[in-house]
Amino acid sequence: MLASRPVRFAVLASGAGSNFEALAAAAEREALGGTIALVLCDVPDAPVLDRAARRGIAGLTPPVGRFRTRLEDERPWLDALTAHAIDVVLCAGFMRRLHATLLTPFAGRMLNIHPSLLPSFAGRDGIGDALAHGVRVTGCTVHLVESEVDSGPIVAQAAVPVLDGDTRESLAARIHAAEHALYPEAVRRYVREPWRREGRRIVFGEGAGLAGLPAAEVAHG
Ligand code: GAR
């Protein structure tokens, strides 16, 4: 049986929050498969927090500790997800690596969007790296978050052409537009439609889908 109650999502973000906006707009028109109950952010003055506030969605900035590329202690972040009974976490421009404290309870329940056609151009600057490499086609990827960065099974991808004369800005604008269409639809499919996992492949059309995963331990005790 696929879950029929609305899924409770949290968005993890660090910056502008345009993907958060696309996800929240989809949720409002009941096209996401659930509701966004929480935004967690590692940058206290990030615009995504204003966007969340404008939409009446709780925005929190748990402590990040001493490091730049990871959270020193993930437990306060897990506690916030627990307190809000979150089922599925959506990373949307969250620029820190995650580790077992968050990844284990949300195995299969944490998605990310990356601005390239993975496995090409993983890392912090997927757009700039693709442009510098000279590829003619790049794009964006929605994938499950696992401990290796930008490496989890792929849920959905969209291709974006690189045009002669593209600058980083013009290419980024085209990729962001593709992300805003791809991410909400990929999330809806992942939480609402049947799928099964075959090795690294997520095969849609049959299988228990999200309902086949153990409940997010944090949310349901
Ligand atoms: C997006 O392009 C997203 O794919 C990228 O950060 C941007 C966030 O924009 N994420 C990564 O590069 C993760 N490795 P937004 O804050 O406007 O959604």
Side-chain angles (χ1 to χ4, degrees):
M1 268 280 289
L2 289 178
S4 55
R5 75 175 177 83
V7 169
R8 287 174 66 79
F9 295 105
V11 172
L12 261 61
S14 302
S18 69
N19 278 285
F20 160 75
E21 200 72 48
L23 293 165
E28 268 181 21
R29 48 174 205 276
E30 299 189 358
L32 194 67
T35 58
I36 300 176
L38 178 65
V39 171
L40 294 182
C41 181
D42 59 330
V43 179
D45 58 354
V48 67
L49 290 167
D50 299 327
R51 292 186 191 258
R54 278 201 293 277
R55 288 183 174 273
I57 296 173
L60 298 176
T61 55
V64 296
R66 289 169 295 172
F67 308 122
R68 194 177 56 86
T69 58
R70 67 179 178 91
L71 301 167
E72 185 169 358
D73 181 2
E74 292 183 341
R75 278 171 302 183
W77 292 68
L78 183 61
D79 290 345
L81 298 173
T82 307
H84 287 78
I86 298 303
D87 301 302
V88 172
V89 174
L90 306 175
C91 298
F94 187 70
M95 300 310 270
R96 289 173 192 255
R97 292 187 67 154
L98 297 173
H99 297 86
T101 300
L102 281 173
L103 294 180
T104 302
F106 281 97
R109 295 174 172 274
M110 190 180 291
L111 302 180
N112 181 45
I113 183 129
H114 182 79
S116 74
L117 291 176
L118 291 173
S120 290
F121 310 117
R124 296 186 81 82
D125 190 14
I127 299 173
D129 291 345
L131 190 62
H133 194 88
V135 294
R136 294 293 179 167
V137 179
T138 182
C140 49
T141 301
V142 176
H143 65 92
L144 296 182
V145 180
E146 297 191 340
S147 56
E148 279 302 304
V149 98
D150 299 331
S151 73
I154 289 168
V155 176
Q157 291 186 303
V160 172
V162 182
L163 305 180
D164 291 333
D166 254 341
T167 61
R168 196 185 186 293
E169 289 65 38
S170 63
L171 179 58
R174 221 176 301 114
I175 289 178
H176 288 149
E179 289 185 331
H180 301 159
L182 184 74
Y183 203 5
E185 173 57 13
V187 170
R188 186 203 61 74
R189 272 193 104 187
Y190 188 74
V191 303
R192 284 287 162 226
E193 291 189 8
W195 55 262
R196 64 187 160 79
R197 188 168 164 173
E198 266 181 30
R200 285 190 46 85
R201 297 182 66 213
I202 304 290
V203 181
F204 284 96
E206 55 189 80
L210 190 73
L213 297 175
E217 292 164 31
V218 292
H220 307 297

